[in-house]
PDB file of all heavy atoms in Angstrom:
ATOM      1  N   PRO A1812      10.709   3.197 -22.328  1.00 82.00           N
ATOM      2  CA  PRO A1812       9.568   2.820 -23.171  1.00 82.00           C
ATOM      3  C   PRO A1812       9.708   1.389 -23.677  1.00 82.00           C
ATOM      4  O   PRO A1812      10.812   0.896 -23.882  1.00 82.00           O
ATOM      5  CB  PRO A1812       9.635   3.833 -24.322  1.00 82.00           C
ATOM      6  CG  PRO A1812      11.061   4.253 -24.371  1.00 82.00           C
ATOM      7  CD  PRO A1812      11.541   4.238 -22.955  1.00 82.00           C
ATOM      8  N   ILE A1813       8.558   0.731 -23.826  1.00 73.00           N
ATOM      9  CA  ILE A1813       8.557  -0.645 -24.303  1.00 73.00           C
ATOM     10  C   ILE A1813       8.852  -0.663 -25.805  1.00 73.00           C
ATOM     11  O   ILE A1813       8.293   0.111 -26.572  1.00 73.00           O
ATOM     12  CB  ILE A1813       7.205  -1.316 -24.030  1.00 73.00           C
ATOM     13  CG1 ILE A1813       6.916  -1.302 -22.519  1.00 73.00           C
ATOM     14  CG2 ILE A1813       7.183  -2.734 -24.553  1.00 73.00           C
ATOM     15  CD1 ILE A1813       7.904  -2.086 -21.711  1.00 73.00           C
ATOM     16  N   ALA A1814       9.711  -1.580 -26.240  1.00 69.00           N
ATOM     17  CA  ALA A1814      10.115  -1.649 -27.643  1.00 69.00           C
ATOM     18  C   ALA A1814       9.058  -2.360 -28.477  1.00 69.00           C
ATOM     19  O   ALA A1814       8.330  -3.219 -28.004  1.00 69.00           O
ATOM     20  CB  ALA A1814      11.446  -2.381 -27.767  1.00 69.00           C
ATOM     21  N   SER A1815       8.965  -1.966 -29.752  1.00 67.00           N
ATOM     22  CA  SER A1815       8.207  -2.728 -30.746  1.00 67.00           C
ATOM     23  C   SER A1815       9.213  -3.239 -31.774  1.00 67.00           C
ATOM     24  O   SER A1815      10.311  -2.699 -31.917  1.00 67.00           O
ATOM     25  CB  SER A1815       7.139  -1.858 -31.405  1.00 67.00           C
ATOM     26  OG  SER A1815       7.735  -0.736 -32.038  1.00 67.00           O
ATOM     27  N   TYR A1816       8.816  -4.304 -32.506  1.00 60.00           N
ATOM     28  CA  TYR A1816       9.766  -4.974 -33.388  1.00 60.00           C
ATOM     29  C   TYR A1816       9.195  -5.138 -34.786  1.00 60.00           C
ATOM     30  O   TYR A1816       8.025  -5.497 -34.947  1.00 60.00           O
ATOM     31  CB  TYR A1816      10.133  -6.349 -32.828  1.00 60.00           C
ATOM     32  CG  TYR A1816      10.831  -6.279 -31.501  1.00 60.00           C
ATOM     33  CD1 TYR A1816      10.099  -6.210 -30.320  1.00 60.00           C
ATOM     34  CD2 TYR A1816      12.218  -6.267 -31.433  1.00 60.00           C
ATOM     35  CE1 TYR A1816      10.729  -6.130 -29.095  1.00 60.00           C
ATOM     36  CE2 TYR A1816      12.868  -6.187 -30.213  1.00 60.00           C
ATOM     37  CZ  TYR A1816      12.117  -6.125 -29.051  1.00 60.00           C
ATOM     38  OH  TYR A1816      12.751  -6.035 -27.842  1.00 60.00           O
ATOM     39  N   LEU A1817      10.022  -4.874 -35.776  1.00 58.00           N
ATOM     40  CA  LEU A1817       9.673  -5.150 -37.156  1.00 58.00           C
ATOM     41  C   LEU A1817       9.933  -6.626 -37.461  1.00 58.00           C
ATOM     42  O   LEU A1817      10.729  -7.264 -36.778  1.00 58.00           O
ATOM     43  CB  LEU A1817      10.501  -4.273 -38.103  1.00 58.00           C
ATOM     44  CG  LEU A1817      10.219  -2.764 -38.049  1.00 58.00           C
ATOM     45  CD1 LEU A1817      11.171  -2.042 -38.991  1.00 58.00           C
ATOM     46  CD2 LEU A1817       8.780  -2.470 -38.416  1.00 58.00           C
ATOM     47  N   PRO A1818       9.263  -7.184 -38.482  1.00 56.00           N
ATOM     48  CA  PRO A1818       9.511  -8.590 -38.826  1.00 56.00           C
ATOM     49  C   PRO A1818      10.973  -8.896 -39.118  1.00 56.00           C
ATOM     50  O   PRO A1818      11.419 -10.018 -38.945  1.00 56.00           O
ATOM     51  CB  PRO A1818       8.628  -8.803 -40.065  1.00 56.00           C
ATOM     52  CG  PRO A1818       7.532  -7.786 -39.938  1.00 56.00           C
ATOM     53  CD  PRO A1818       8.175  -6.588 -39.288  1.00 56.00           C
ATOM     54  N   SER A1819      11.729  -7.884 -39.550  1.00 55.00           N
ATOM     55  CA  SER A1819      13.146  -8.102 -39.850  1.00 55.00           C
ATOM     56  C   SER A1819      13.993  -8.236 -38.607  1.00 55.00           C
ATOM     57  O   SER A1819      15.152  -8.637 -38.687  1.00 55.00           O
ATOM     58  CB  SER A1819      13.677  -6.931 -40.696  1.00 55.00           C
ATOM     59  OG  SER A1819      13.566  -5.723 -39.963  1.00 55.00           O
ATOM     60  N   GLY A1820      13.420  -7.913 -37.424  1.00 54.00           N
ATOM     61  CA  GLY A1820      14.186  -8.008 -36.193  1.00 54.00           C
ATOM     62  C   GLY A1820      14.694  -6.679 -35.684  1.00 54.00           C
ATOM     63  O   GLY A1820      15.344  -6.620 -34.648  1.00 54.00           O
ATOM     64  N   VAL A1821      14.416  -5.596 -36.440  1.00 59.00           N
ATOM     65  CA  VAL A1821      14.826  -4.271 -35.992  1.00 59.00           C
ATOM     66  C   VAL A1821      13.858  -3.791 -34.914  1.00 59.00           C
ATOM     67  O   VAL A1821      12.642  -3.914 -35.054  1.00 59.00           O
ATOM     68  CB  VAL A1821      14.841  -3.281 -37.169  1.00 59.00           C
ATOM     69  CG1 VAL A1821      15.205  -1.879 -36.687  1.00 59.00           C
ATOM     70  CG2 VAL A1821      15.836  -3.742 -38.219  1.00 59.00           C
ATOM     71  N   ARG A1822      14.381  -3.276 -33.839  1.00 63.00           N
ATOM     72  CA  ARG A1822      13.524  -2.788 -32.769  1.00 63.00           C
ATOM     73  C   ARG A1822      13.424  -1.270 -32.834  1.00 63.00           C
ATOM     74  O   ARG A1822      14.325  -0.588 -33.306  1.00 63.00           O
ATOM     75  CB  ARG A1822      14.058  -3.220 -31.400  1.00 63.00           C
ATOM     76  CG  ARG A1822      15.403  -2.636 -31.034  1.00 63.00           C
ATOM     77  CD  ARG A1822      15.777  -2.954 -29.587  1.00 63.00           C
ATOM     78  NE  ARG A1822      17.164  -2.573 -29.338  1.00 63.00           N
ATOM     79  CZ  ARG A1822      18.160  -3.440 -29.181  1.00 63.00           C
ATOM     80  NH1 ARG A1822      17.912  -4.729 -29.250  1.00 63.00           N
ATOM     81  NH2 ARG A1822      19.382  -3.028 -28.978  1.00 63.00           N
ATOM     82  N   SER A1823      12.318  -0.742 -32.323  1.00 66.00           N
ATOM     83  CA  SER A1823      12.104   0.699 -32.301  1.00 66.00           C
ATOM     84  C   SER A1823      11.412   1.068 -31.004  1.00 66.00           C
ATOM     85  O   SER A1823      10.729   0.247 -30.384  1.00 66.00           O
ATOM     86  CB  SER A1823      11.250   1.147 -33.496  1.00 66.00           C
ATOM     87  OG  SER A1823       9.948   0.590 -33.397  1.00 66.00           O
TER      88      SER A1823
END
Side-chain angles (χ1 to χ4, degrees):
I1813 301 297
S1815 59
Y1816 297 86
L1817 293 177
S1819 62
V1821 177
R1822 65 172 171 252
S1823 65

